[in-house]
Amino acid sequence: MEREGKVYVFDHPLIQHKVSLMRMKETSVKEFRELAQEVAMLMGFEATRNLPLKDVEIETPITKTTTKMLEGEDIAIVPILRAGLGFVDGMLALVPNAKVGHIGLYRDPETHEPHEYYCKLPKDVEKRQIFVVDPMLATGGSAVAAIDFIKQRGGKNITFMCLIAAPEGIRALHEAHPEIDIYIAAKDDHLDENAYIVPGLGDAGDRLYGTK
Ligand code: URA
């Protein structure tokens, strides 16, 4: 059986402080976007903890030595459009050579099933460590579908990162893709009747892009 994925909820004070600022309704679009990048960077630092290293021979001004560097630059960041884009720059600040794929989904108004309207992934996606990013894990429908699509295209090594998750979304994602590690900045109470996370921060896409 494949390794069971873990759910990590961050308790770092900087992350908690920044997420609280993002929740506040008076936080401006500019501040919200900057905070999203900062939180992505802080979370990404931990989510990349298991990237493989290799030994390299180098020479310092003092002596030759063996030291560690990343084994490959085989990372892909895959935002779920559009709110996931808010996490990309923060992750790229950590792993500037990562490739970036994009997945766009819409929900069928009658069946409520997610449908893919856009998907462009790196060609060698099967070799890459993939970080799927979406700020809000609400019902889990989009995350489950996005990861289904990535797996159909050969993606194997997948991690999911979000800002705020509802218990319903965590459960759905873990049930559908039990091997995946899930990184969450804050776990909230529940979903309301419109599938918004409570207390949440509202619509993450609107808050990032000033559309409302
Ligand atoms: N998507 C959002 O942007 N916010 C929520 O609360 C739920 C889903």
Side-chain angles (χ1 to χ4, degrees):
M1 137 125 175
E2 247 178 319
R3 164 187 177 274
E4 177 93 355
K6 293 200 179 120
V7 179
Y8 299 89
V9 182
F10 286 91
D11 59 1
H12 195 290
L14 286 177
I15 294 182
Q16 292 187 51
H17 178 82
K18 287 173 193 294
V19 173
S20 296
L21 291 171
M22 295 179 82
R23 291 182 188 276
M24 292 176 191
K25 62 180 186 190
E26 59 272 24
T27 298
S28 71
V29 171
K30 173 180 179 288
E31 288 164 333
F32 189 93
R33 212 178 279 150
E34 289 167 357
L35 287 161
Q37 282 188 30
E38 291 164 15
V39 174
M41 220 191 295
L42 291 167
M43 291 179 72
F45 178 73
E46 193 55 35
T48 51
R49 173 175 290 282
N50 295 322
L51 289 179
L53 293 169
K54 63 178 178 196
D55 286 331
V56 287
E57 308 284 328
I58 61 156
E59 203 170 342
T60 75
I62 310 297
T63 184
K64 288 189 176 169
T65 187
T66 305
T67 187
K68 304 273 184 200
M69 291 185 81
L70 288 177
E71 193 169 71
E73 289 167 352
D74 303 340
I75 292 170
I77 303 160
V78 182
I80 301 178
L81 299 177
R82 75 186 153 140
L85 292 173
F87 263 38
V88 172
D89 287 347
M91 287 294 285
L92 282 176
L94 297 180
V95 282
N97 290 316
K99 299 235 165 117
V100 181
H102 294 88
I103 291 195
L105 301 167
Y106 74 91
R107 190 166 292 275
D108 184 293
E110 269 153 38
T111 65
H112 303 296
E113 287 295 311
H115 290 275
E116 178 190 301
Y117 67 84
Y118 187 80
C119 183
K120 189 97 182 176
L121 300 176
K123 254 197 236 105
D124 54 355
V125 71
E126 71 285 351
K127 291 195 214 131
R128 291 183 176 266
Q129 170 68 47
I130 302 162
F131 292 89
V132 178
V133 293
D134 193 3
M136 308 302 273
L137 182 62
T139 62
S142 302
V144 168
I147 293 169
D148 282 339
F149 295 135
I150 292 170
K151 285 184 173 174
Q152 283 161 20
R153 287 167 172 85
K156 293 183 186 80
N157 212 340
I158 303 171
T159 298
F160 183 80
M161 288 172 60
C162 68
L163 197 59
I164 299 181
E168 296 89 329
I170 300 171
R171 207 174 310 118
L173 181 53
H174 186 67
E175 274 172 24
H177 300 291
E179 79 289 3
I180 284 180
D181 285 339
I182 305 172
Y183 288 85
I184 300 166
K187 186 171 155 187
D188 273 10
D189 286 352
H190 64 277
L191 297 176
D192 71 9
E193 60 285 5
N194 299 312
Y196 275 91
I197 299 177
V198 182
L201 50 69
D203 186 299
D206 284 344
R207 301 227 32 207
L208 275 166
Y209 299 111
T211 46
K212 202 168 161 193

